[in-house]
Amino acid sequence: MTSERSTLDHLLGFDKFEIDRSSHITIDQARCASCPQMPCLTVCPAGVYRQVHQNVVAAHENCLECGACKISCDSDGNAGITWRNPSAGFGIIFRFG
């Protein structure tokens, strides 16, 4: 029996997302530009953050609402991420696990 490793997209497919048009994540690009470690790029289990043309961008619609980005940004980064809970009725609904 072979064990196939699931991709992030495959695993996220088990969850249901109610997407809000406005993001619950705000990024201060000036703080991010001077951040030596940019922990948000690696700590997020859903891969929400990526760097595009010297800017950090967030795909808020993929957020698992764990808060790892905010914690790592505040402790190891330049506190450039403002994260709040999504508006009522929006966000993730975990189906399994």
Side-chain angles (χ1 to χ4, degrees), residues 39 43 66-77 81 83:
V43 74
C66 67
C69 60
K70 177 70 173 147
I71 293 167
S72 67
C73 184
D74 287 349
S75 63
D76 296 328
I81 294 175
W83 188 96

Side-chain angles (χ1 to χ4, degrees), residues 5-17 64 92-97:
R5 186 176 176 113
S6 294
T7 65
L8 178 60
D9 288 336
H10 178 257
L11 294 172
L12 289 174
F14 289 117
D15 301 318
K16 181 180 178 188
F17 294 87
L64 298 175
I92 189 167
I93 301 166
F94 294 100
R95 293 182 177 178
F96 298 104

